[in-house]
């Protein structure tokens, strides 16, 4: 009985993850809203079970599978394009120790994805002034701190770079400590300019075409 219930929950969790992945890949939904909408699609009016929602790693894996099945002819080139533009932005902002995160880093980025950066400075105002002096039109908002909910949200500057959306979260210099440390399972959550260059070089070595 217990094993049957466990198997049923595991299967439902996988179905929700697959449905959420379709929403992410097709519509550009964020993981949080995608998993909630997917749960409604899969469970209908059935009462929610505790711990039935998949975690983000599970959804990410399903996005990879979706890309491989349905976007194999276009997604690698799109990813290469976004990584190339991300490198250009990071080089322009090099004095603020830029780190790349999100789908462009983990390799799942598709047609709806944008570039997510983390910048580090004595003051967010320094970054703000630098971008304004470059005549970059900014849309300011806040993002959750990557270290968790017990830390204050950080200012985030959103702007266009070569017609691609860029979201640059602005952190204090002290926040750099441990930022490049991988998770216990070895997963890398952010990378610097050198790391991104290595990813692009690997793509070229594998023969992945660059998008126009």
């Amino acid at each position: 009985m217990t094993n049957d219930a466990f198997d049923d929950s595991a299967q439902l969790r996988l179905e929700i993850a697959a449905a959420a992945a379709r929403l992410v890949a097709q519509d550009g939904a964020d993981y949080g809203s995608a998993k909630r909408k997917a749960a409604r699609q899969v469970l209908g009016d059935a009462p929610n079970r505790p711990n039935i929602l998949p975690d983000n790693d599970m959804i990410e894996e399903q996005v990879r599978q979706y890309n491989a099945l349905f976007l194999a002819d276009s997604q690698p080139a799109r990813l290469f394009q976004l990584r190339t533009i991300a490198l250009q932005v990071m080089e322009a902002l090099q004095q603020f120790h830029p780190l790349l995160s999100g789908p462009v880093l983990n390799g799942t980025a598709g047609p709806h994805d944008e570039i997510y950066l983390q910048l580090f400075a004595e003051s967010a105002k320094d970054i703000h002034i630098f971008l304004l002096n470059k005549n970059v039109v900014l849309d300011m908002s806040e993002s959750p701190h990557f270290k968790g909910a017990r830390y204050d949200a950080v200012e985030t500057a959103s702007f266009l770079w070569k017609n691609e959306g860029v979201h640059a979260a602005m952190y204090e210099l002290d926040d750099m400590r441990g930022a490049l440390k991988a998770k216990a399972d070895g997963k890398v959550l952010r990378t610097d300019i050198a790391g991104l260059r290595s990813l692009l070089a690997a793509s070229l070595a594998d023969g992945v075409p660059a998008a126009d």
Side-chain angles (χ1 to χ4, degrees), residues 126-167:
D126 296 338
I127 304 171
H128 196 168
I129 292 173
F130 178 88
L131 290 170
L132 289 177
N133 286 340
K134 297 293 185 181
N135 297 318
V136 176
V137 178
L138 302 179
D139 181 18
M140 302 303 297
S141 61
E142 289 189 340
S143 298
H145 200 295
F146 69 78
K147 290 186 177 180
R150 62 194 181 96
Y151 291 84
D152 292 336
V154 297
E155 279 192 275
T156 300
S158 297
F159 53 92
L160 289 178
W161 188 283
K162 294 193 173 180
N163 294 319
E164 296 292 349
V166 178
H167 306 279

Side-chain angles (χ1 to χ4, degrees), residues 66-79:
Y66 182 95
N67 287 341
L69 284 171
F70 301 107
L71 299 175
D73 60 340
S74 61
Q75 191 269 338
R78 170 63 176 164
L79 174 62

Side-chain angles (χ1 to χ4, degrees), residues 148-200:
R150 62 194 181 96
Y151 291 84
D152 292 336
V154 297
E155 279 192 275
T156 300
S158 297
F159 53 92
L160 289 178
W161 188 283
K162 294 193 173 180
N163 294 319
E164 296 292 349
V166 178
H167 306 279
M170 300 182 286
Y171 291 88
E172 297 179 358
L173 286 175
D174 287 347
D175 291 320
M176 288 184 65
R177 191 173 301 129
L180 290 174
K181 185 177 180 180
K183 291 175 62 178
D185 60 3
K187 182 179 179 180
V188 175
L189 297 179
R190 51 193 68 86
T191 195
D192 57 14
I193 289 174
L196 180 53
R197 285 176 178 154
S198 295
L199 289 174
L200 286 167

